[in-house]
Structure formats: structure tokens, C-alpha cells
Amino acid sequence: QVSLVESGGGLVQAGGSLRLSCAASGRTFSNYFMGWFRQAPGKEREFAGSINWSSGSTYYADSVKGRFTISRDNANNTVYLQMDSLKPEDTAVYYCAARNVRERQYQNWGQGTQVTVSS
């Protein structure tokens, strides 16, 4: 059974940085996309970025491009979201998700971690 566990959230001042981790277990993820999503209070969940586990190719939403970086550690089955130059509008619950490259929808989700950026 797939398990995704996020960590690393917290409170940071605007302009600061945080690194989120997503520990993945339960299967081999070589044929998967690992995505990061976020949901701010009163808003719908939105895509932040993703990584093709096999190739390492990354994709980012325009709102975070140039500030966020996704990477993965194959040895530890962990995906990271490095967030720099944080803005108050980045405040949200951040979720890690996984989908097979053949699927359109993300099938597996973590429990989320809160990121709060103060102005």
C-alpha cells in the first residue's frame, strides 16, 4: 500500500525558505510522477509542480516557477520541495501526491503539511 508522508512545514517570514519532504513507500515509483499541490484557506487545491521519478524532469506552475525546486532522492525514496523567496500568498497546506505515468489523475495523497508565510 502506497504511503506518502510530508514533513518540513512551518512558519517563515516573507523572503525566507523552507524545504518540504515527502517520504514515499509501498511500491517502486520509477514509473510515477510525484506532484506537489497546495490549498490555501477558502481556495481550491492547486498544482504547484511535479517530477518524473525516472527521468527527473520537473514541471512548475507559473506562480512558483523560479522560486520552487523539486528534486528526488532515489536511495531514500524521498521527494523534496525547496521553496525560496516565499511570499504570504504561498501560505497553504502542501500535499504530496503520486500518479502512474499512464494515469491522468493522482491516485495517492499525503496528509499535508502547513506552510505559513508572514509578511
Side-chain angles (χ1 to χ4, degrees), residues 2-67:
V2 173
S3 174
L4 304 174
V5 180
E6 303 97 333
S7 61
L11 174 64
V12 63
Q13 288 189 334
S17 298
L18 276 178
R19 188 178 78 159
L20 305 184
S21 299
C22 173
S25 62
R27 65 161 302 118
T28 301
F29 292 92
S30 56
N31 292 323
Y32 274 66
F33 283 100
M34 304 298 292
W36 285 98
F37 291 76
R38 64 186 186 180
Q39 187 167 19
K43 296 187 177 181
E44 294 189 353
R45 185 168 56 195
E46 67 173 2
F47 172 80
S50 65
I51 185 167
N52 181 309
W53 194 292
S54 178
S55 68
S57 298
T58 53
Y59 313 87
Y60 300 97
D62 288 343
S63 58
V64 307
K65 197 173 295 182
R67 301 187 299 121

